[in-house]
Amino acid sequence: MEQTQAIWIRDPVSILAEGAERGIVVHQGKIVELVPAGSRPATAHVAVFDASEHVVLPGLINTHHHFYQTLTRALPAAMDRELFPWLQALYPVWARLTPEALELGVTVAMSELLLSGCTTTTDHHYVFPAGLEQAVDIEVAVAKRLGMRALLTRGSMNLSQRDGGLPPDSVVQDEDQILADSERVVARHHQRGEDAMVQIALAPCSPFSVTTSLMRKTAELAQRLDVRLHTHLAETEDENSFCKQTYGCRPLDYLEQCGWLNSRTWLAHGIFFNAEEIKRLAQAKTTISHCACSNQLLASGCCPVCEMEEAGVGIGLGVDGSASNDASNLMQEVRAAFLLQRARYGVLKVSHKDALRWATQGSAACVGRPELGEIAVGKAADLALFKLDELRFAGHGDPLAALVLCGAHRADRVMVGGKWVVTDGAIPGLDVADLIRRHGAAARAMHAG
């Protein structure tokens, strides 16, 4: 149902915007007015939503995830391993992924994200065992059902163990199949313009799981179709060693040789770039998805966000896969990124507002959606509203800071394009208990083999 009447989100406890002390007016999916202190809306005939118990944020934006991995959280075989052996332990389990299990995994991941205040998410799906050729279509259906914006990446792997890569033969596809399906899902699902709800990007998995030919042809296809590019890069020292041994150069040099170093591209992790490479990223307007929890769990290292931002590199946040984060909670990721980077750079260089900015405006730049991630006139009405009525917030001072410092993890209300998709801390129509039961059964079946 289209929103026909303007809504005044009135008198929030706090709001992440200047000059909106009395709230904002939303109409037809956009923010049409900021209401400053001592004022009332100029817009006529507004309905009122009383936000006097809420802190209002722009909807958070998740720039890196693997939805299917909700089915392999805290898996004993993969625990206490670094990235390469961790992947080798999980690939055989992921090879048993079915369409039914994927639909459940995606629903769990997107629901958890929505409830954490996330209004736009990416996903990087690159596992395509036989029978799962329609994986992206399954994800699109879930996103539409939940009313969440999604930039779904058609991932790929074509370099298996027999070719010197990490993944087993059962989860890879050949180049022609990958490129044909990439073109198919863009033609079928990619929406353009500021109101787009579903978009598609192309995303070969990593330098150690795809061929140079596929990297180059994917970049060419993305340029022809005018869609974005995504991959993992500079996540571990193992990756540096692999690229030097296999391609005779560092990962960023390899990326540039493949035609990827441009403003179409955003990269997951970005831990092991040197100063010269950071300058090149900035010049190319390539952005980085910082995945703090995953990097800590896998002991991969720490993204140098301050050096990157000082050089002009855009930084967004990603929860990464639920098997290397074990959560899909973007508000918790904001806190994790804040704490990790505060420990690295000190109190004068990283504040809670920096972490919130990474998850909003910074992430909007990663996904190429400047109309998202900010509470301002003309921007999309994507909002996350949090209450401060839990024990964790008792005794707080600054409400915005309390969300980050005291560990907010569940939004009370979430709006996407002017429509409420979370109300009273729940997704209307979603039977969470039934979802957990069915998802758990699918996960156990995959673990058992």
Side-chain angles (χ1 to χ4, degrees):
M1 182 175 166
E2 286 297 313
Q3 175 202 339
T4 54
Q5 188 176 18
I7 300 174
W8 177 16
I9 298 174
R10 187 178 70 185
D11 294 331
V13 175
S14 184
I15 185 168
L16 190 60
E18 298 291 330
E21 293 82 4
R22 294 218 66 199
I24 59 176
V25 179
V26 169
H27 190 221
Q28 294 182 338
K30 304 284 187 187
I31 297 167
V32 296
E33 190 178 349
L34 306 185
V35 187
S39 299
R40 293 182 61 83
T43 307
H45 309 299
V46 293
V48 172
F49 175 80
D50 180 2
S52 60
E53 296 183 353
H54 294 89
V55 180
V56 182
L57 300 181
L60 308 180
I61 300 168
N62 177 37
T63 59
H64 187 62
H65 207 333
H66 309 291
F67 292 161
Y68 71 91
Q69 290 182 13
T70 60
L71 293 151
T72 51
R73 299 200 233 224
L75 196 68
M79 290 171 67
D80 304 323
R81 292 171 176 242
E82 293 184 349
L83 179 65
F84 278 21
W86 176 85
L87 284 168
Q88 288 164 332
L90 283 164
Y91 277 138
V93 184
W94 295 338
R96 296 192 280 269
L97 195 61
T98 65
E100 296 76 20
L102 176 64
E103 193 272 341
L104 289 163
V106 171
T107 304
V108 164
M110 294 190 81
S111 299
E112 191 179 357
L113 284 164
L114 266 180
L115 291 168
S116 75
C118 177
T119 53
T120 299
T121 184
T122 62
D123 186 54
H124 189 183
H125 186 88
Y126 54 82
V127 177
F128 289 86
L132 201 62
E133 291 79 12
Q134 306 297 311
V136 176
D137 307 84
I138 291 168
E139 294 192 318
V140 169
V142 175
K144 288 182 175 178
R145 188 168 73 241
L146 292 173
M148 190 176 194
R149 291 192 206 271
L151 173 55
L152 304 170
T153 75
R154 203 300 180 182
S156 55
M157 297 192 294
N158 72 331
L159 193 67
S160 67
Q161 289 170 346
R162 67 184 173 201
D163 307 308
L166 285 183
D169 300 342
S170 60
V171 297
V172 304
Q173 296 176 304
D174 66 47
E175 181 182 285
D176 291 342
Q177 186 179 12
I178 290 164
L179 293 170
D181 193 58
S182 296
E183 192 153 6
R184 178 189 72 83
V185 296
V186 171
R188 182 168 182 180
H189 299 299
H190 186 69
Q191 300 171 356
R192 300 185 187 276
E194 291 189 349
D195 297 327
M197 291 295 293
V198 175
Q199 295 191 316
I200 304 294
L202 306 184
C205 184
S206 63
F208 47 84
S209 57
V210 299
T211 60
T212 302
S213 174
L214 180 60
M215 286 290 287
R216 287 177 174 157
K217 288 182 179 177
T218 300
E220 292 165 3
L221 182 61
Q223 183 171 6
R224 178 163 65 83
L225 300 179
D226 190 22
V227 295
R228 296 183 75 72
L229 285 166
H230 184 53
T231 193
H232 301 91
L233 207 77
E235 182 176 2
T236 65
E237 287 286 12
D238 287 346
E239 181 190 313
N240 281 339
S241 300
F242 178 90
C243 285
K244 286 177 183 175
Q245 291 171 8
T246 308
Y247 307 119
C249 61
R250 287 173 57 83
L252 191 68
D253 298 322
Y254 176 67
L255 200 75
E256 186 168 25
Q257 292 168 18
C258 292
W260 277 63
L261 194 56
N262 54 56
S263 61
R264 199 179 294 282
T265 300
W266 87 102
L267 303 169
H269 304 296
I271 296 168
F272 292 101
F273 291 126
N274 60 37
E276 183 268 338
E277 290 168 337
I278 290 172
K279 288 179 183 176
R280 286 163 59 197
L281 287 165
Q283 289 165 356
K285 294 183 169 52
T286 298
T287 51
I288 302 295
S289 173
H290 173 36
C291 304
C293 287
S294 173
N295 295 162
Q296 290 175 90
L297 188 140
L298 292 172
S300 300
C302 180
C303 179
V305 296
C306 287
E307 288 89 343
M308 286 184 169
E309 289 201 309
E310 285 164 8
V313 180
I315 300 291
L317 292 189
V319 299
D320 200 4
S322 295
S324 64
N325 180 328
D326 299 299
S328 302
N329 189 307
L330 192 50
M331 194 65 221
Q332 288 283 285
E333 194 72 30
V334 171
R335 186 171 191 263
F338 163 71
L339 291 173
L340 180 67
Q341 299 299 344
R342 169 66 70 89
R344 176 170 181 153
Y345 292 107
V347 297
L348 298 181
K349 294 202 74 172
V350 175
S351 77
H352 65 278
K353 288 188 176 179
D354 290 315
L356 288 168
R357 176 173 51 78
W358 297 330
T360 53
Q361 287 176 283
S363 286
C366 285
V367 297
R369 301 289 301 268
E371 69 278 10
L372 307 180
E374 187 179 1
I375 295 174
V377 172
K379 303 287 186 177
D382 290 10
L383 304 166
L385 283 67
F386 293 83
K387 285 188 173 182
L388 300 174
D389 58 355
E390 297 175 67
L391 281 172
R392 71 182 67 234
F393 301 116
H396 76 270
D398 183 303
L400 267 178
L403 291 183
V404 181
L405 302 181
C406 304
H409 65 96
R410 190 160 186 142
D412 180 66
R413 286 254 173 174
V414 176
M415 175 181 280
V416 179
K419 300 173 185 176
W420 295 115
V421 292
V422 172
T423 58
D424 300 325
I427 297 169
L430 181 68
D431 186 336
V432 174
D434 180 63
L435 175 61
I436 291 171
R437 180 187 59 77
R438 292 186 293 124
H439 181 271
R444 287 189 294 275
M446 281 178 63
H447 302 174

